[in-house]
Amino acid sequence: MIKRPGVLLTILLVLALAVIVIYKLQTDPYNNSASNDQRNSMTEEPGSIYTIYQDNCLTCHGNNGEAQPGFPSLQKTTLSLEEIKKIIITGRGDMPPFPNITEPQLSQLAELVKRFSN
Ligand code: HEC
């Protein structure tokens, strides 16, 4: 061994690789499930802002703001958060007003709309 340091080095390298592979195998599924959890919390958690979207906006604007036929997509909106909030409160054109949606949900809803367009 001492006369052939290359062997020792190779063993060390293989060990280091094994550690990296095991580390990857353990962390990747964890990361995936973490992002799944995040997605679920946006779409399924009761009382989440998406539930408010589902109850009030989805029929016209679609699951992810992609819009139902005859209604505008929210994925293409260039409006600011303030402008979106105003439209939600006062309505516009064929969109009814939602005066019952108040802060902090109002801001969260506007942010959700902005996320659709990202
Ligand atoms: C009855 C159908 C309907 C519902 C329900 C509805 N909207 Fe709308 N929405 C529309 C229509 C129609 C327009 C286009 C208004 C216009 O003529 O300018 C619009 C426009 C918008 C716009 C402006 C898009 C842009 O880029 O100009 C936003 C933002 C928006 N809606 C968000 C919402 C949110 C958030 C909700 C739920 C609180 C909601 N809408 C509920 C029909 C609806």
Side-chain angles (χ1 to χ4, degrees), residues 52-53 56-57 59-61 70-74 76-79 84 87-88 92-96 98 101 109 113:
I52 293 179
Y53 177 85
N56 297 286
C57 324
T59 44
C60 296
H61 292 296
F71 293 102
S73 162
L74 298 181
K76 292 180 198 137
T77 189
T78 52
L79 300 173
I84 294 171
I87 290 176
I88 296 171
R92 203 179 73 188
D94 288 335
M95 175 167 157
F98 294 88
I101 299 178
L109 200 54
V113 169

Side-chain angles (χ1 to χ4, degrees), residues 37-113:
D37 285 351
Q38 271 170 3
R39 232 171 287 139
N40 288 344
S41 75
M42 193 173 120
T43 52
E44 283 163 22
E45 191 182 283
S48 82
I49 196 64
Y50 188 76
T51 310
I52 293 179
Y53 177 85
Q54 251 178 340
D55 292 348
N56 297 286
C57 324
L58 188 147
T59 44
C60 296
H61 292 296
N63 278 322
N64 295 296
E66 75 279 13
Q68 307 288 357
F71 293 102
S73 162
L74 298 181
Q75 293 175 347
K76 292 180 198 137
T77 189
T78 52
L79 300 173
S80 69
L81 285 177
E82 287 307 315
E83 289 167 325
I84 294 171
K85 280 173 13 178
K86 198 162 169 237
I87 290 176
I88 296 171
I89 304 170
T90 62
R92 203 179 73 188
D94 288 335
M95 175 167 157
F98 294 88
N100 293 338
I101 299 178
T102 53
E103 296 293 356
Q105 284 82 7
L106 185 61
S107 290
Q108 290 169 8
L109 200 54
E111 278 159 22
L112 181 75
V113 169

Side-chain angles (χ1 to χ4, degrees), residues 6-56:
V7 173
L8 192 65
L9 215 64
T10 308
I11 291 170
L12 277 176
L13 263 174
V14 169
L15 274 177
L17 270 177
V19 168
I20 290 169
V21 168
I22 289 167
Y23 180 76
K24 275 268 168 206
L25 283 177
Q26 279 179 343
T27 50
D28 276 355
Y30 173 75
N31 282 340
N32 282 339
S33 66
S35 58
N36 278 340
D37 285 351
Q38 271 170 3
R39 232 171 287 139
N40 288 344
S41 75
M42 193 173 120
T43 52
E44 283 163 22
E45 191 182 283
S48 82
I49 196 64
Y50 188 76
T51 310
I52 293 179
Y53 177 85
Q54 251 178 340
D55 292 348
N56 297 286

